[in-house]
Amino acid sequence: GNSVTQMEGPVTLSEEAFLTINCTYTATGYPSLFWYVQYPGEGLQLLLKATKADDKGSNKGFEATYRKETTSFHLEKGSVQVSDSAVYFCALSAPTAGKSTFGDGTTLTVKP
Amino acid sequence: DAGVTQSPTHLIKTRGQQVTLRCSPKSGHDTVSWYQQALGQGPQFIFQYYEEEERQRGNFPDRFSGHQFPNYSSELNVNALLLGDSALYLCASSFGGGTAYNEQFFGPGTRLTVL
């Protein structure tokens, strides 16, 4: 079946540091890939997505590129802020499945 | 636009009891998916409702059941509660069934505690 593996956390960075959160997936066919963010006490918010190979999703300074050859969708940001502290989830959705499969999440803490 | 709303916010039950959680989708959406998020883990898909029918189901026992109403709102019912059912239950809405191309919008969740 489909699965998503995220780098183990938590991740602690200083403000303005470079962020990478690794995500790899296993799926049949050509899934769409997503990054969601969850702030304390809230539901998930879609951060960015990519629906086909080599697509780059971007939003609020975050980027991720759909790499089919390595089955990866790593999240990057060039300069993190304290307000980026949250839990980040990588997810996939296969066109035939009608549901999303999530990784276990990576907790990011950014210190001033 | 109120977005996806869920009720109640928090709920405390004892083992063996039954619970009903409610979800109203974002305006214009007709598909509702339910997820269980245990502490420190990612959301796990329970089931999805589209056109008032259960279209997809994850690996959850029959104790978990649901319903979708003509106005697209949905309920999640859990019978014979176990301690392991304690989790955040998330509702997500989208349009047209499926989630590969249509963005899901998540509600804030219902925190269920089973004692």
Side-chain angles (χ1 to χ4, degrees):
Chain A
N2 299 335
S3 67
V4 175
T5 302
Q6 289 184 231
M7 66 183 290
E8 294 183 6
V11 175
T12 301
L13 297 173
S14 297
E15 206 165 23
E16 298 184 3
F18 184 85
L19 169 71
T20 299
I21 300 178
N22 291 336
C23 171
T24 57
Y25 68 91
T26 301
T28 54
Y30 301 90
S32 293
L33 302 175
F34 307 84
W35 277 101
Y36 287 86
V37 59
Q38 187 175 34
Y39 298 101
E42 299 184 11
L44 276 68
Q45 300 175 25
L46 178 65
L47 182 58
L48 54 83
K49 69 176 183 180
T51 58
K52 61 183 186 296
D54 299 325
D55 265 3
K56 177 184 285 188
S58 62
N59 185 26
K60 299 180 182 179
F62 291 89
E63 294 183 339
T65 301
Y66 191 140
R67 302 289 189 196
K68 187 162 180 62
E69 64 276 13
T70 55
T71 62
S72 66
F73 192 55
H74 304 321
L75 182 68
E76 297 181 336
K77 186 175 185 182
S79 177
V80 294
Q81 305 300 312
V82 172
S83 59
D84 294 327
S85 297
V87 182
Y88 291 82
F89 292 93
C90 183
L92 69 82
S93 183
T96 57
K99 64 176 184 179
S100 293
T101 300
F102 288 82
D104 284 338
T106 301
T107 301
L108 170 66
T109 302
V110 181
K111 296 187 175 181
Chain B
D1 183 1
V4 179
T5 59
Q6 293 186 243
S7 64
T9 304
H10 296 86
L11 205 50
I12 299 175
K13 293 287 188 178
T14 56
R15 282 178 297 176
Q17 286 189 311
Q18 178 265 344
V19 68
T20 297
L21 310 182
R22 295 177 176 82
C23 171
S24 292
K26 181 179 171 64
S27 177
H29 285 182
D30 58 7
T31 303
V32 173
S33 300
W34 286 93
Y35 293 84
Q36 180 194 67
Q37 185 179 15
L39 198 62
Q41 296 183 17
Q44 298 293 314
F45 177 77
I46 302 174
F47 43 53
Q48 181 185 83
Y49 278 85
Y50 174 58
E51 295 183 333
E52 300 182 48
E53 291 186 2
E54 183 183 292
R55 294 303 182 109
Q56 296 274 340
R57 188 177 183 91
N59 295 323
F60 281 80
D62 292 343
R63 298 186 297 110
F64 290 77
S65 63
H67 187 76
Q68 185 178 36
F69 299 94
N71 67 353
Y72 308 119
S73 66
S74 177
E75 289 183 348
L76 163 65
N77 300 292
V78 187
N79 294 321
L81 284 168
L82 304 174
L83 294 179
D85 294 332
S86 295
L88 180 67
Y89 287 84
L90 295 168
C91 169
S93 75
S94 57
F95 178 76
T99 57
Y101 302 111
N102 301 318
E103 181 179 346
Q104 286 188 108
F105 288 79
F106 282 82
T110 293
R111 174 72 62 186
L112 172 64
T113 302
V114 182
L115 302 177

